[in-house]
């Protein structure tokens, strides 16, 4: 059984590391620091921690202003408020001027759980994907989260990082894992079908691949941690070599990873595609695992999709 | 620079505004003309900026939160030497460095891209906060419209600036009383502006936004205040200086044509 760590916890730890390394790093939160895990940074570096209160538009505006002076602001709140309520501020005050603001939002997707649909961001990737200049990263586990946070600090430009609430399996190896923005990672080789996943659905994809293997199906598993710019070459290669693709994300199938992959293969190498994700509906309160099952986001759902795709080949 | 020289510059800025907007065939003359004196004082009297080094890190900052007054700011920046005055006639034209609303990536001297109301004010709070973190003594200025005060983010930012004691921030409200659909008080009341800012923890100074001496003394007073940001509520006339534009909401976003341009320039004292 893999170790379980929430990506938001890894984010909080990465911020402390950054605070020690880079004096330009400033962290902002909108009254959710104990949930987004920026709180510890605030305790350690009070002069570089700014709580803007429950005011997400100003969160982004202040971060934008800070970045014009050379600061590297990390702005955090829940994904629904960061990308929904503050969307146009991100668009006009961060994306358009290409400012060095890192928007690291937690509590994405339906695994927010009991808080219900009002707090479950299922459209954040979609919203951020339509903003020119925006880089979008969805880490699959705690190790990738830390690596991503360090990597985006070294690049200049706006970034959206999508983090989660629940503890999720650690799937990457701490010692050997190398993270490169925009480069997908092939985690399992196979030529019968490709499962392209992002976020913690990568671990579900790996479980699905194991299950498929028992049925004699070799599934390639690709972790697309960077939704934008997406690793087109890796996706096209997988489409050509396996002839069938499944995408898996904890996000609306409209506008997220599934759409991004469909755009790439549609223009370059059309092959049968099935998108695992939230099927354009609002979910509800419940335990994360119950919601994943009810809304079709488990390894079993991926297995079923893979088998039906291969049958149709 | 003495008062007479500042007045002469403001007059030239107004002529530039009319010429630029007439040439582009679109733009916002009303709010640009109402802001001309304030911007003249900021850039030719008050702010430490260097046109040879627009990104000088210790410079004073300015965010034109009412970004539609861009023609006024562009005319100022050109006269300060940030770019050639010839660029002014390319306002809003394809391929121009002078976009319809300020673009910090394209135009030297612009500290923040603005245009969507309220956001420049919010960003100016971030700039002022950065100065506090770094213990630097540069000051941050922002100019808002009065209609702009209807945006929610303005009050988020106002609460923020007071909470963090951003006494290095001065927000000037270009209070001309008009917005696109008519008078503020008909569209959605913003009054009482002074009391609102006071209630949000700001030091507030009321001034005549067309009196160079008053604008200067208001900014000087703001600099003396410790522990609170200052809002200067500057009473202005929309379309100031052009008789047929003054106090006419219709001239918020309309370009003068042919005779209108000539008449406007004549009233402003001839071509700049």
């Amino acid at each position: 059984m893999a170790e379980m760590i929430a990506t938001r916890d890894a984010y909080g730890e990465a911020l402390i590391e950054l605070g020690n390394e880079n004096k330009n790093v400033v962290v902002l939160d909108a009254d959710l620091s104990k949930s987004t895990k920026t709180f510890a940074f605030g305790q350690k570096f009070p002069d570089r921690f700014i709580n803007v209160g429950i005011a997400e538009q100003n969160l982004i505006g202040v971060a934008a202003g800070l970045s014009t002076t050379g600061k590297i602001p990390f702005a955090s709140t829940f994904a629904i408020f960061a990308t929904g309520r503050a969307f146009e501020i991100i668009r006009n005050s961060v994306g358009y001027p290409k400012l060095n603001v890192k928007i690291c939002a937690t509590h994405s997707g339906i695994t927010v759980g009991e808080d219900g649909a009002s707090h479950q961001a299922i459209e954040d990737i979609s919203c951020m994907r339509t903003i020119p200049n925006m880089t979008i990263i969805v880490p699959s586990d705690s190790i990738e989260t830390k690596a991503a946070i360090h990597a985006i600090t070294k690049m200049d430009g706006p970034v959206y990082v999508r983090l989660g609430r629940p503890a999720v399996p650690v799937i990457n190896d701490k010692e050997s894992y190398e993270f490169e923005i925009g480069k997908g990672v092939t985690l399992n080789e196979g030529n019968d079908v490709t499962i392209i996943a992002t976020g913690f659905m990568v671990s579900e994809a790996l479980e699905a691949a194991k299950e498929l293997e028992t049925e004699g199906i070799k599934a390639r598993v690709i972790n697309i941690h960077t939704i934008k710019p997406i690793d087109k070459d890796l996706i096209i290669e997988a489409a050509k070599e396996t002839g069938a693709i499944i995408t898996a994300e904890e996000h609306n199938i409209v506008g997220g990873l599934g759409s991004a992959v469909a755009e790439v293969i549609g223009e370059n190498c059309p092959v049968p595609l099935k998108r695992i994700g939230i099927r354009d509906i609002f979910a509800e309160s419940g335990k994360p695992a119950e919601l994943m099952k009810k809304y079709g986001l488990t390894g079993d759902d991926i297995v079923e999709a893979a088998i039906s795709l291969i049958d149709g080949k | 620079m003495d008062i007479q020289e500042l007045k002469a510059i403001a007059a030239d800025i107004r002529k530039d505004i009319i010429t630029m907007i007439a040439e582009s065939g679109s733009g916002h003359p009303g709010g640009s003309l109402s802001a001309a004196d304030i911007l003249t004082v900021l850039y030719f009297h008050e702010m430490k900026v260097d046109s040879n080094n627009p990104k000088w890190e210790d410079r004073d900052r300015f965010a034109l939160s009412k970004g539609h007054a861009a023609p006024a700011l562009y005319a100022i920046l050109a006269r300060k030497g940030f770019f050639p005055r010839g660029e002014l006639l390319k306002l809003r034209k394809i391929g121009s460095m002078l976009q319809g609303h300020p673009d910090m990536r394209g135009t030297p001297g612009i500290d923040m891209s603005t245009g969507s109301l309220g956001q420049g004010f919010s960003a100016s709070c971030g700039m002022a906060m950065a100065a506090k973190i770094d213990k630097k003594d540069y000051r941050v200025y922002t100019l808002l419209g009065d209609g702009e005060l209807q945006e929610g983010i303005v009050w988020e930012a106002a609460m923020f600036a007071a909470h963090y004691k951003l006494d290095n921030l001065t927000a000037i409200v270009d209070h001309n009383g008009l917005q696109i659909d008519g008078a503020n008080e008909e569209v959605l009341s913003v009054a009482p502006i002074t009391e609102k800012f006071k209630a949000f923890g700001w030091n507030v100074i009321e001034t005549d936004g067309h009196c160079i001496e008053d604008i200067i003394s208001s900014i000087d007073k703001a600099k003396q205040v410790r522990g609170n940001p200052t809002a200067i509520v500057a009473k202005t006339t929309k379309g100031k200086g052009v008789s047929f534009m003054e106090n006419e909401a219709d001239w918020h976003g309309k370009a003068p044509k042919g005779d209108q341009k000539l008449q406007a320039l004549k009233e402003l004292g001839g071509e700049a």
Side-chain angles (χ1 to χ4, degrees):
Chain A
M1 187 75 188
E3 193 183 357
M4 303 284 282
I5 302 174
T7 53
R8 61 176 167 146
D9 283 313
Y11 170 57
E13 289 173 18
L15 286 180
I16 300 281
E17 294 164 10
L18 281 179
N20 286 317
E21 288 167 18
N22 191 328
K23 68 174 176 52
N24 283 325
V25 168
V26 177
V27 176
L28 300 93
D29 207 296
D31 194 40
L32 288 169
S33 68
K34 286 173 186 161
S35 299
T36 63
K37 304 297 175 185
T38 63
F39 182 78
F41 182 97
Q43 294 289 298
K44 184 135 197 227
F45 307 100
D47 297 343
R48 287 190 274 147
F49 178 76
I50 302 166
N51 202 328
V52 304
I54 309 165
E56 294 79 12
Q57 299 179 51
N58 195 47
L59 169 78
I60 302 299
V62 168
L66 282 161
S67 75
T68 66
T69 71
K71 298 283 173 221
I72 308 172
F74 282 73
S76 288
T77 179
F78 289 179
I80 188 72
F81 310 130
T83 66
R85 197 175 197 117
F87 174 80
E88 197 252 351
I89 325 293
I90 297 175
R91 194 262 189 203
N92 273 324
S93 288
V94 177
Y96 176 41
K98 206 177 178 185
L99 289 174
N100 197 23
V101 174
K102 316 303 180 189
I103 301 158
C104 299
T106 65
H107 294 63
S108 61
I110 58 174
T111 54
V112 164
E114 293 84 347
D115 276 354
S118 62
H119 283 55
Q120 295 164 351
I122 57 168
E123 62 288 273
D124 52 321
I125 295 173
S126 176
C127 292
M128 292 299 100
R129 217 158 69 78
T130 58
I131 299 177
N133 296 331
M134 187 64 72
T135 294
I136 303 170
I137 296 174
V138 187
S140 59
D141 72 354
S142 57
I143 287 165
E144 196 165 83
T145 300
K146 278 198 178 182
I149 296 301
H150 283 278
I152 64 170
T153 309
K154 293 186 183 88
M155 70 161 270
D156 184 36
V159 182
Y160 175 65
V161 181
R162 183 184 213 236
L163 302 164
R165 175 175 177 261
V168 295
V170 178
I171 57 167
N172 294 296
D173 179 61
K174 192 176 179 180
E175 304 307 321
S176 64
Y177 184 64
E178 286 180 24
F179 178 87
E180 189 180 342
I181 295 167
K183 285 278 173 213
V185 185
T186 303
L187 294 170
N188 198 55
E189 297 291 349
N191 282 325
D192 296 330
V193 63
T194 300
I195 307 166
I196 299 177
T198 196
F200 87 96
M201 287 302 286
V202 175
S203 70
E204 295 291 329
L206 289 169
E207 290 301 314
K210 272 188 212 161
E211 180 66 29
L212 287 166
E213 179 119 34
T214 65
E215 306 205 17
I217 296 169
K218 294 268 192 195
R220 184 176 302 187
V221 177
I222 294 175
N223 168 16
I224 291 289
H225 51 64
T226 306
I227 308 280
K228 187 182 171 181
I230 202 161
D231 191 342
K232 285 184 187 167
D233 293 345
L234 192 65
I235 293 168
I236 293 166
E237 183 184 74
K240 282 183 181 159
E241 291 176 5
T242 69
I245 288 183
I246 293 159
T247 58
E249 62 194 311
E250 189 205 357
H251 184 275
N252 197 337
I253 54 167
V254 177
L257 172 73
S259 292
V261 169
E263 288 159 17
V264 172
I265 63 173
E267 283 187 347
N268 296 284
C269 179
V271 295
L273 168 77
K274 270 192 186 285
R275 293 169 296 161
I276 298 288
I278 298 151
R279 304 203 70 80
D280 202 23
I281 51 168
F282 291 109
E284 63 191 285
S285 292
K287 291 191 171 65
E290 294 169 340
L291 292 166
M292 296 283 287
K293 194 158 194 285
K294 180 164 179 178
Y295 292 91
L297 298 181
T298 66
D300 288 346
D301 296 296
I302 297 171
V303 168
E304 202 178 299
I307 290 169
S308 85
L309 261 193
I310 289 165
D311 285 350
K313 263 197 195 177
Chain B
M1 195 170 285
D2 68 29
I3 302 295
Q4 289 312 315
E5 285 173 294
L6 290 169
K7 284 182 179 171
I9 290 170
D12 284 344
I13 297 301
R14 287 198 162 86
K15 292 174 211 163
D16 283 345
I17 290 167
I18 295 298
T19 305
M20 290 164 74
I21 296 176
E23 176 66 25
S24 79
S26 75
H28 298 83
S32 296
L33 291 169
S34 73
D37 301 299
I38 297 163
L39 290 173
T40 298
V41 170
L42 281 174
Y43 276 89
F44 286 90
H45 177 79
E46 184 54 43
M47 287 170 55
K48 296 189 302 275
V49 292
D50 180 1
S51 59
N52 292 316
N53 185 12
K55 300 280 180 196
W56 174 36
E57 63 178 32
D58 291 329
R59 72 189 185 281
D60 290 334
R61 264 79 171 173
F62 176 71
L64 183 65
S65 203
K66 49 171 291 184
H68 53 280
L73 181 56
Y74 296 156
I76 295 263
L77 292 175
R79 280 181 186 273
K80 284 290 282 186
F82 282 92
F83 50 82
R85 285 195 62 215
E87 293 293 325
L88 297 179
L89 295 178
K90 299 179 193 161
L91 171 71
R92 290 177 167 244
K93 290 183 178 168
I94 192 138
S96 169
M97 70 154 73
L98 300 182
Q99 294 295 295
H101 294 82
D103 169 17
M104 66 186 291
R105 289 280 169 191
T107 312
I110 299 286
D111 293 323
M112 183 64 203
S113 299
T114 53
S116 178
L117 295 175
Q119 297 186 29
F121 183 34
S122 180
S124 72
C125 292
M127 296 174 189
M129 193 75 199
K132 291 287 180 192
I133 292 170
D134 290 339
K135 299 186 168 47
K136 290 199 170 194
D137 62 3
Y138 66 78
R139 295 189 62 81
V140 181
Y141 294 91
T142 183
L143 182 68
L144 299 96
D146 47 13
E148 182 174 5
L149 303 180
Q150 292 157 359
E151 288 282 5
I153 189 174
V154 167
W155 302 103
E156 293 184 6
M159 238 183 285
F160 176 87
H163 180 85
Y164 285 101
K165 306 186 191 314
L166 301 181
D167 51 18
N168 53 351
L169 174 67
T170 302
I172 304 173
V173 179
D174 181 359
H175 184 23
N176 59 38
L178 296 175
Q179 56 193 101
I180 299 178
D181 275 353
N184 301 147
E185 301 318 303
E186 286 167 14
V187 177
L188 188 79
S189 298
V190 293
I193 297 173
T194 296
E195 286 76 3
K196 278 192 175 79
F197 273 101
K198 278 186 180 163
F200 274 73
W202 286 57
N203 172 53
V204 185
I205 301 169
E206 292 179 344
T207 199
D208 176 346
H210 297 309
C211 175
I212 300 286
E213 294 92 330
D214 282 4
I215 300 167
I216 290 174
S217 78
S218 302
I219 290 172
D220 283 345
K221 279 182 206 153
K223 286 162 75 177
Q224 307 307 317
V225 175
R226 294 289 171 269
N228 304 81
T230 293
I232 297 176
V233 180
K235 187 74 194 74
T236 55
T237 300
K238 194 155 188 159
K240 176 73 177 175
V242 178
S243 60
F244 59 91
M245 290 185 178
E246 286 193 1
N247 294 314
E248 290 291 338
D250 277 353
W251 283 101
H252 172 88
K254 190 168 72 171
K257 296 193 177 98
D259 288 347
Q260 291 170 330
K261 173 193 163 186
L262 296 175
Q263 173 69 23
L265 288 175
K266 194 176 159 196
E267 291 184 21
L268 292 167
E271 292 217 31

